[in-house]
Amino acid sequence: MYNISDNPQYTLKLKNPSNSPAAVWILLTRHITDKDDFANNKEFITVFVYQGGSRVYYPYNPAPYKDGIKINSPHYLCKMVESGNQSFTLVVSQYEKVNTIHYTLRVYSQCEFSLNKIVDPYKHEKEKTGEWKGVTAGGCANYPTNKNNPIYQVTLDSTSASNHLLVELRAPREYSVGIEAKPVNIHNPSAQGNQQDLTSGSYRNGYCILSMENISGGVYNIIPSTFLPAKEGHFILKFSSSCPMTVSKLR
């Protein structure tokens, strides 16, 4: 499991200005409607708890605040004692996605709280398949051949400075992969998101994401790469944006 972005995720906000410790119980209940399912329960479920309240993509970066153990019981209970105003992300997970499960997620707390399903700002999606092959298997920026990597150009059709763009890269799991974005022609260079490093960070096995928030509309070059050069293979790039966009392959 190296991608949990598609798992159901919820934001739990605790409102406890007094800073006194408050018990918080998170209860996940799987709906069982068949007697045989109850007698021979093969579905293992859990809830991972992360700090922050935003969508989580990598299961262990950041590490879970509460690392749930998957159990084949209709109920999973996580108990916490927390102080102050805090935000958490709750991720519902099952051991293997073999069957669709129906569930109820409940929270009980000694302090006021809100629980909401995370809704992404992305309204537009596009997907491209490509490959690193021969010269285009250029590796990361540590190597002079990095300039030969495939390039995809994204145009965000918006004059706003508060656009959101998410790029997901899926590749062979044995390869460490990363993404870099380079502004080419943008409308608002002073946009908050454009002041940050537009990379996916550390290279990761088989999957990584580049999340750009509050960025200017305009043109960006997206460069997927493996950490080492000469690592040939196919990949899939998924682009999700909050505004209309076009995506084309430059190389």
Side-chain angles (χ1 to χ4, degrees):
M1 181 178 65
Y2 56 99
N3 168 24
I4 58 172
S5 62
D6 294 329
N7 289 44
Q9 300 192 17
Y10 301 82
T11 297
L12 171 63
K13 292 185 177 181
L14 303 182
K15 303 172 184 178
N16 186 12
S18 68
N19 276 330
S20 57
V24 180
W25 287 15
I26 301 165
L27 177 63
L28 174 66
T29 301
R30 185 172 78 86
H31 300 173
I32 295 180
T33 58
D34 185 88
K35 183 172 64 174
D36 292 336
D37 186 13
F38 183 81
N40 187 22
N41 188 349
K42 296 181 180 180
E43 297 291 345
F44 289 72
I45 60 173
T46 194
V47 176
F48 294 106
V49 181
Y50 296 84
Q51 293 178 311
S54 301
R55 179 168 293 280
V56 177
Y57 294 89
Y58 309 120
Y60 291 101
N61 190 0
Y65 179 63
K66 297 292 183 181
D67 192 354
I69 299 174
K70 295 181 176 68
I71 58 173
N72 63 332
S73 165
H75 305 285
Y76 175 83
L77 178 63
C78 174
K79 297 181 180 180
M80 308 190 302
V81 177
E82 304 297 332
S83 302
N85 298 325
Q86 297 193 62
S87 295
F88 298 94
T89 302
L90 311 184
V91 181
V92 176
S93 179
Q94 58 190 121
Y95 178 63
E96 289 181 337
K97 178 59 178 176
V98 177
N99 301 306
T100 297
I101 67 170
H102 300 276
Y103 63 88
T104 299
L105 183 67
R106 298 182 177 92
V107 174
Y108 305 89
S109 174
Q110 290 180 316
C111 67
E112 185 180 351
F113 70 91
S114 64
L115 178 68
N116 295 287
K117 189 169 186 177
I118 294 178
V119 179
D120 290 322
Y122 312 111
K123 300 177 181 179
H124 306 270
E125 290 186 355
K126 293 185 181 296
E127 190 170 283
K128 297 287 185 179
T129 57
E131 64 178 328
W132 298 288
K133 187 174 182 180
V135 169
T136 64
C140 71
N142 295 344
Y143 301 92
T145 51
N146 171 260
K147 64 181 184 294
N148 300 325
N149 278 305
I151 300 175
Y152 292 81
Q153 192 162 92
V154 178
T155 301
L156 299 180
D157 187 14
S158 168
T159 57
S160 168
S162 57
N163 302 291
H164 301 271
L165 176 64
L166 176 71
V167 184
E168 296 180 75
L169 172 61
R170 289 176 168 85
R173 191 167 185 175
E174 61 268 23
Y175 292 169
S176 295
V177 296
I179 311 169
E180 180 182 7
K182 294 184 177 181
V184 176
N185 182 16
I186 59 177
H187 304 306
N188 299 284
S190 60
Q192 180 182 352
N194 290 97
Q195 310 309 308
Q196 302 172 9
D197 187 23
L198 301 180
T199 73
S200 56
S202 300
Y203 279 67
R204 302 176 184 276
N205 288 350
Y207 175 82
C208 68
I209 63 107
L210 170 56
S211 177
M212 296 183 283
E213 300 177 355
N214 297 313
I215 61 172
S216 169
V219 181
Y220 296 83
N221 282 351
I222 305 297
I223 306 167
S225 65
T226 57
F227 183 76
L228 296 174
K231 296 295 183 181
E232 297 186 341
H234 291 82
F235 60 80
I236 299 172
L237 280 172
K238 181 181 177 182
F239 303 84
S240 306
S241 66
S242 58
C243 64
M245 65 173 166
T246 58
V247 181
S248 59
K249 183 179 180 181
L250 296 187
R251 180 172 64 221

